[in-house]
Amino acid sequence: MASNQENQNKQKWHTMSAEEVLESLSSDIEKGLSDNEVQKRTEKYGPNEIPKGKKRSWLSRLLMQFHNVLIYVLMGAAVITALMEHWIDTWVIVAVVIINALIGFIQEGKAEKALESIRKMLSLETVVIRGGEKQTIDADKLVPGDIVFLKSGDKVPADVRLVKSKDFRVEESALTGESTAVEKNTDPADESAVLGDQLSMAFSGTVVVYGKSTAVVVRTGAETEIGRINQMISSVEDKTTPLLRQIEKFGKKLSVAIMLLAGAFFAFGYFVRDYALSELFLAAIGIIVASIPEGLPAIMTITLAIGVQRMAQRNAIIRRLPSVETLGAVNVICSDKTGTLSRNEMTAKTIITADKTYKISGTGYNPEGKFTQDDSDVKPEEDKVLLQLLRAARVCNNSEIGKDENGNWKLTGAPTEGALLTMSYKAGLKDFKPERMDTIPFESEHKYMASLNRVDDETTVFLSGAPEKILELCDKQYTEAGDEPLDEGYWEEKMQEAAADGQRMLALAFNITDKNRSEIEKEDLKKKKTFLGLVGIIDPPREEAIRAIEECQSAGVQVKMITGDHAATARAIGKQIGIGDGEKSLVGKDLEQMSDEELRRQVQEYDIYARTSPEHKLRLVKALQDNGSLCAMTGDGVNDAPALKKADIGIAMGIKGTEVSKDASEMVLADDNFATIVKAIEEGRTVYDNIRKALFFIIPTNGAEALVLMSAILLGIVMPITPAQILWINMVTAVTLALALSFEPMESNVMDRPPRDAGESILGRLFVWRITFVSFIIGGLTLGVFSMLRSNGLADEAARTVAVNTLVAGQLFYLFNCRKIKHPAIGKGFFNNPYAFIAVGALIVLQMGFVYLPFMNTFFDTQAMAVEYWLYPLAAGAIVFLLVELEKFILRKIKSGS
């Protein structure tokens, strides 16, 4: 089957004439295929549907959530506690593992919908001719060679070569990124034409917005353009996030270190000290339990979940939990233009007459805006040339604008006509509806529209259309002084200036004709009209995107535009919003001629990429990643899906985005606002900061516990704390103190620093130093308090109780050090995280229960403490806090060189 389907793509159908295509496919435009031939081709090519890949079962996806080295370590801790018959701790750890897995399972469960969404884009039914008779069939029954009939509103059911067409326009933005409907024809295209320039083709999944056509099916199923995108999505490997890669490396190193330490101290205690084997075995298990950060996966999950919630409040919906922090490391954003950086709403921005140039404010189809000339407001009703041009724009129009159920202005009709209509509404011409007696509709053959209307007791012909065609029909131009001979050189110059700004030009003209005239013919229009002027139309950039790009650049994040639109338009929009210099760009043809190595070099130099195909977008993302960039990709179309999936984080548009693009992405912008990405980057950096703060907190406290036990073995003294007590400490500090760090708000300088290096170790020199420094302080103070009290005659159980509280107090005070990794703990913003103080209160209550509740004394082998013994933990905690703040101060001085 596959080899037969490959035959569909051997021909470059867009380069062949309609007759050659029909002959090559042995098809007849009048009769179509016979039933017998259809059957043969169905057997050869298969059904017209996207192949369904092998789908992972829910059980497989659930089990994969446990495939993480930290989870293995955590499950090992559960086994150890079970062997020690500390069942409460066992079930707590098991619960943490299960909750962590379920959250990941639920967050990632929708990821496999992308291929299903693409399949749904195929049309359900289509009209064909078979055996000389028209019939409606299911689209999946189509075969190459079928003759199909397409009209406005139809979804194209397969890749087809147009044989006949009449004013045929297709909306292809979801596939090509083209911002306006594409006018198709039957003429062969160049062999090197990119998808958006193959005007003789219509592609599966796109929508006919105007006209009708007869076409022959040339590619079906997996061989269509949309099928090839599906294959690209399938071939893109699943990725992991920088944080997960770092945590995995950290977990492996930590696991090896824990086992080596435990083994070494077991051997030391056995061969050098005279511990009983059972006691030594318990001590070694205690070292393992003390060193394992049981709460880390849960704290990470909770911190990420809080980040997800915060982002959702700012219109950024995260689909994969670990992707939250990826945004903090992103250093390149590849953005689609249409609908992402631009509004995807054609807007008239400039009017050029023989005398003046006017600017029009406002964007989209909201009819609010002003007309200005040399920065001075203009009233259209007081400017006869401008008014007549606006009247022509209002009359030569078959579109409508109005508010939808949400109060947003929407267009019904052609986007260019919508731009002209909105412009006329801004001039107060909404109710200007003169009697229309006849019309010549816009068609690709003549590229203009003409309308015969009764205006002010005069019969007037108005025209709008392509400037070159309207100029051919005019011999005069309208000025404030009256009619003048047409100055074609002047208009050519103005068109070039407007084109350089990325504006698409439309021309308008009129002629007052015989009052008794009631119809118009094409022959009547030649060289009799008066040229009114030009209207420059653009798909305007989002104003908020301009500010967002500035913020990205100040935060060290590059923004690159990758679009299917024309190079001049892309450069002009890019210059307006701050991407590129308005001169440099690469187009799809350039990319196709480059090797991967050459593209890796060029991608650093260029910020604008135009007339791109899905393959080009995918190659660009790969090239950036090969250069070491952490790449985000935004998009809303089917054509963006492979690159969205390949990017380190794919960002889809929530309002105008296709389901395919959403399902292939990690994040969806609920408001389709590029500026939301900046907010998401802020949150991503904050999430990473908070995870690092949690690591700064959890690992040294684990280190202190392990250090106490190792020191005891080295000194040959009784264990200052038991494994059960260690688990208690880890559990209560994780669910209170460590959790509070997840709620730390954004630091003021979060967007003033460059993105972190995604490849750097999460440990780092400061991290290793801080772990060692704090571990020795808290561990040393705990060991010192235990030894001193025991030497003063206090029972082992009572001394252990004070030692546990010393450890906990050290962690409690150290929490406030961790809220600012490098800066002073006490200062501006000290009270801006109320959860920190709630956590401290909760921990104090839990520790009171640990010390004074009889059943807790029995369970953990502790004793109730006299009030004076609380001075030791409080003093130890204060010493920890002051020493860490002093260490921060010294490091800041060293860094500043003073």
Side-chain angles (χ1 to χ4, degrees):
M1 181 76 68
S3 61
N4 287 328
Q5 286 182 331
E6 287 169 6
N7 292 332
Q8 299 181 51
N9 262 327
K10 286 184 177 180
Q11 300 284 359
K12 291 187 177 294
W13 303 108
H14 62 280
T15 67
M16 301 165 64
S17 69
E19 293 76 15
E20 289 173 332
V21 174
L22 289 167
E23 183 179 351
S24 177
L25 292 167
S26 302
S27 187
D28 187 312
I29 193 171
E30 300 296 334
K31 298 180 180 178
L33 300 174
S34 66
D35 291 342
N36 185 49
E37 186 63 26
V38 169
Q39 185 176 349
K40 288 180 182 179
R41 297 190 186 195
T42 301
E43 292 173 0
K44 181 178 181 180
Y45 298 112
N48 177 35
E49 61 183 16
I50 304 296
K52 296 182 179 180
K54 187 176 180 181
K55 206 170 184 178
R56 289 192 302 167
S57 67
W58 68 269
L59 181 60
S60 172
R61 287 192 290 110
L62 179 61
L63 291 176
M64 284 301 294
Q65 304 302 319
F66 297 92
H67 184 52
N68 180 296
V69 67
L70 275 178
I71 298 298
Y72 295 151
V73 173
L74 208 56
M75 290 190 291
V79 171
I80 292 168
T81 55
L83 291 173
M84 295 169 61
E85 297 186 355
H86 290 288
W87 299 110
I88 293 177
D89 302 311
T90 300
W91 290 117
V92 167
I93 295 171
V94 168
V96 167
V97 172
I98 292 173
I99 290 170
N100 189 63
L102 285 175
I103 291 174
F105 175 74
I106 293 168
Q107 286 288 331
E108 297 179 16
K110 297 180 180 179
E112 296 190 3
K113 286 186 178 178
L115 304 185
E116 190 63 34
S117 297
I118 283 187
R119 294 186 197 106
K120 290 178 181 177
M121 288 196 66
L122 292 177
S123 179
L124 296 177
E125 291 183 337
T126 189
V127 178
V128 301
I129 185 167
R130 286 179 174 175
E133 294 183 1
K134 277 190 179 182
Q135 50 188 290
T136 300
I137 65 169
D138 291 337
D140 61 1
K141 303 275 194 307
L142 283 175
V143 295
D146 261 326
I147 303 298
V148 296
F149 299 92
L150 301 172
K151 64 181 186 307
S152 179
D154 286 348
K155 190 177 285 185
V156 180
D159 285 4
V160 299
R161 172 62 163 86
L162 306 186
V163 179
K164 293 180 180 179
S165 71
K166 183 175 177 63
D167 196 21
F168 191 63
R169 285 180 253 173
V170 181
E171 170 61 57
E172 295 182 331
S173 62
L175 189 64
T176 66
E178 184 90 33
S179 57
T180 58
V182 180
E183 187 178 325
K184 300 288 186 176
N185 58 56
T186 60
D187 299 331
D190 291 339
E191 184 173 347
S192 60
V194 296
L195 208 64
D197 292 332
Q198 295 178 16
L199 303 182
S200 57
M201 298 285 295
F203 301 102
S204 178
T206 59
V207 180
V208 180
V209 296
Y210 205 84
K212 59 184 180 179
S213 176
T214 303
V216 58
V217 174
V218 295
R219 289 189 289 260
T220 57
E223 300 306 314
T224 61
E225 288 298 324
I226 204 169
R228 292 173 61 246
I229 291 174
N230 172 80
Q231 291 173 342
M232 279 191 283
I233 295 175
S234 302
S235 65
V236 174
E237 295 179 0
D238 290 332
K239 54 189 176 287
T240 186
T241 70
L243 177 65
L244 291 183
R245 289 195 294 267
Q246 292 167 348
I247 289 294
E248 186 175 7
K249 289 180 183 177
F250 169 69
K252 288 177 180 177
K253 291 177 181 178
L254 183 62
S255 302
V256 171
I258 288 171
M259 299 309 295
L260 288 176
L261 274 174
F265 278 89
F266 183 90
F268 180 84
Y270 182 77
F271 292 108
V272 179
R273 301 298 181 196
D274 58 351
Y275 286 106
L277 197 61
S278 59
E279 186 179 5
L280 193 58
F281 183 71
L282 195 63
I285 290 176
I287 291 174
I288 294 173
V289 172
S291 304
I292 293 174
E294 294 95 339
L296 182 57
I299 295 301
M300 275 183 56
T301 301
I302 291 168
T303 305
L304 292 170
I306 291 169
V308 167
Q309 186 177 6
R310 284 176 173 172
M311 287 186 182
Q313 292 170 352
R314 304 180 81 174
N315 293 314
I317 311 302
I318 298 295
R319 299 183 64 254
R320 292 184 67 241
L321 201 60
S323 300
V324 176
E325 62 80 28
T326 307
L327 282 158
V330 162
N331 49 28
V332 178
I333 299 174
C334 295
S335 178
D336 187 36
K337 179 185 76 67
T338 305
T340 308
L341 296 171
S342 66
R343 298 175 62 90
N344 199 17
E345 294 178 344
M346 299 304 291
T347 305
K349 301 298 290 183
T350 306
I351 294 176
I352 302 169
T353 66
D355 301 306
K356 301 173 183 176
T357 297
Y358 305 86
K359 298 297 181 183
I360 311 168
S361 64
T363 56
Y365 303 120
N366 184 351
E368 293 182 7
K370 294 181 179 180
F371 295 80
T372 57
Q373 197 261 322
D374 291 336
D375 296 325
S376 298
D377 288 353
V378 173
K379 293 182 178 180
E381 65 273 15
E382 296 177 0
D383 186 322
K384 71 172 188 176
V385 180
L386 176 60
L387 180 62
Q388 189 71 342
L389 182 144
L390 291 166
R391 284 179 165 185
R394 176 69 178 89
V395 169
C396 292
N397 213 298
N398 292 317
S399 296
E400 294 180 4
I401 57 172
K403 289 186 177 180
D404 61 15
E405 62 275 9
N406 298 318
N408 299 315
W409 285 89
K410 296 296 180 184
L411 166 71
T412 303
T416 51
E417 287 188 5
L420 294 178
L421 186 65
T422 304
M423 175 183 73
S424 69
Y425 274 35
K426 292 176 182 177
L429 296 178
K430 179 180 179 181
D431 296 324
F432 180 72
K433 298 178 181 179
E435 178 188 355
R436 177 186 283 183
M437 295 175 288
D438 196 14
T439 183
I440 297 176
F442 185 97
E443 291 185 0
S444 56
E445 288 82 0
H446 53 258
K447 295 187 178 180
Y448 64 80
M449 175 185 179
S451 179
L452 182 66
N453 294 81
R454 187 86 66 191
V455 182
D456 300 332
D457 293 327
E458 292 182 323
T459 302
T460 307
V461 177
F462 293 101
L463 294 96
S464 72
E468 65 274 12
K469 299 301 292 186
I470 299 298
L471 284 167
E472 287 179 8
L473 303 177
C474 296
D475 57 6
K476 297 183 293 294
Q477 60 192 33
Y478 197 44
T479 71
E480 292 178 353
D483 289 351
E484 292 181 354
L486 185 68
D487 184 353
E488 294 191 24
Y490 168 82
W491 296 110
E492 288 291 339
E493 181 183 342
K494 291 299 182 181
M495 283 190 287
Q496 289 178 7
E497 290 175 4
D501 290 333
Q503 296 188 22
R504 177 183 177 186
M505 304 307 296
L506 286 176
L508 295 129
F510 82 108
N511 181 54
I512 298 174
T513 187
D514 183 1
K515 282 189 176 183
N516 298 320
R517 192 168 184 178
S518 60
E519 58 182 32
I520 48 175
E521 299 291 341
K522 295 177 186 176
E523 294 299 318
D524 300 330
L525 301 179
K526 294 181 179 179
K527 283 289 182 185
K528 293 180 181 178
K529 304 298 170 284
T530 301
F531 198 78
L532 284 167
L534 300 167
V535 178
I537 297 175
I538 63 167
D539 178 12
R542 292 175 176 269
E543 294 178 6
E544 61 272 18
I546 298 173
R547 296 189 297 271
I549 288 166
E550 288 178 359
E551 289 187 65
C552 283
Q553 292 168 344
S554 68
V557 181
Q558 288 182 288
V559 183
K560 296 181 183 289
M561 181 195 294
I562 306 176
T563 177
D565 224 330
H566 292 279
T569 304
R571 287 195 300 267
I573 291 289
K575 188 176 182 180
Q576 291 179 46
I577 61 180
I579 302 176
D581 56 7
E583 297 180 3
K584 289 173 61 178
S585 65
L586 283 177
V587 296
K589 290 181 181 179
D590 300 330
L591 299 177
E592 287 175 356
Q593 295 171 1
M594 292 181 185
S595 65
D596 289 344
E597 185 61 35
E598 188 177 1
L599 182 57
R600 282 183 61 183
R601 293 193 300 270
Q602 295 293 340
V603 79
Q604 300 295 97
E605 301 295 325
Y606 288 85
D607 294 327
I608 304 286
Y609 302 88
R611 304 307 278 167
T612 55
S613 69
E615 292 93 338
H616 300 150
K617 293 184 179 186
L618 196 56
R619 282 191 70 201
L620 285 166
V621 170
K622 286 179 180 177
L624 287 165
Q625 291 174 330
D626 289 343
N627 283 335
S629 296
L630 198 74
C631 184
M633 169 75 188
T634 74
D636 57 1
V638 182
N639 61 326
D640 300 318
L644 286 171
K645 188 177 180 185
K646 175 63 180 175
D648 295 284
I649 181 160
I651 305 171
M653 301 297 110
I655 299 172
K656 294 183 178 177
T658 61
E659 288 303 310
V660 180
S661 64
K662 294 175 190 175
D663 289 334
S665 66
E666 283 77 33
M667 186 172 91
V668 178
L669 302 183
D671 56 358
D672 282 14
N673 192 337
F674 186 87
T676 301
I677 298 173
V678 176
K679 299 173 186 175
I681 290 174
E682 291 175 349
E683 293 294 348
R685 292 186 177 189
T686 300
V687 164
Y688 185 77
D689 285 350
N690 289 351
I691 288 174
R692 286 201 78 204
K693 289 173 184 177
L695 286 168
F696 265 80
F697 175 79
I698 292 173
I699 305 303
T701 55
N702 283 110
E705 295 162 0
L707 190 65
V708 168
L709 296 178
M710 291 187 291
S711 299
I713 294 174
L714 288 173
L715 296 172
I717 63 176
V718 68
M719 294 297 114
I721 47 179
T722 67
Q725 291 168 349
I726 289 170
L727 281 168
W728 165 261
I729 296 168
N730 290 350
M731 182 176 68
V732 296
T733 55
V735 300
T736 56
L737 305 182
L739 182 60
L741 292 170
S742 301
F743 294 92
E744 280 295 308
M746 185 187 308
E747 294 191 9
S748 58
N749 68 336
V750 71
M751 292 299 283
D752 294 334
R753 59 187 192 233
R756 73 177 193 275
D757 183 355
E760 72 179 4
S761 170
I762 199 169
L763 295 174
R765 287 181 294 178
L766 174 62
F767 193 101
V768 173
W769 158 250
R770 183 70 59 80
I771 288 174
T772 306
F773 181 64
V774 176
S775 296
F776 272 93
I777 295 174
I778 297 178
L781 287 169
T782 301
L783 188 65
V785 167
F786 175 79
S787 300
M788 182 180 65
L789 292 177
R790 191 165 173 267
S791 64
N792 288 340
L794 201 65
D796 287 350
E797 291 79 5
R800 283 188 179 123
T801 305
V802 180
V804 168
N805 282 306
T806 302
L807 263 171
V808 171
Q811 294 181 41
L812 187 153
F813 280 84
Y814 179 55
L815 167 73
F816 292 97
N817 299 122
C818 290
R819 291 184 61 199
K820 303 282 186 184
I821 293 175
K822 297 180 182 178
H823 300 286
I826 299 176
K828 185 179 179 181
F830 182 72
F831 295 102
N832 62 3
N833 181 6
Y835 296 100
F837 301 97
I838 294 171
V840 167
L843 180 62
I844 291 171
V845 171
L846 288 169
Q847 280 307 112
M848 289 296 177
F850 176 80
V851 173
Y852 295 112
L853 292 176
F855 78 89
M856 295 289 277
N857 297 150
T858 303
F859 192 83
F860 289 103
D861 198 20
T862 58
Q863 285 186 4
M865 286 169 48
V867 174
E868 61 267 23
Y869 285 110
W870 283 104
L871 293 175
Y872 294 100
L874 290 174
I879 291 170
V880 171
F881 179 81
L882 292 173
L883 286 178
V884 175
E885 288 302 299
L886 178 62
E887 175 252 6
K888 287 185 191 178
F889 176 77
I890 294 171
L891 290 179
R892 286 197 304 275
K893 287 293 183 182
I894 292 173
K895 187 173 181 180
S896 64
S898 59

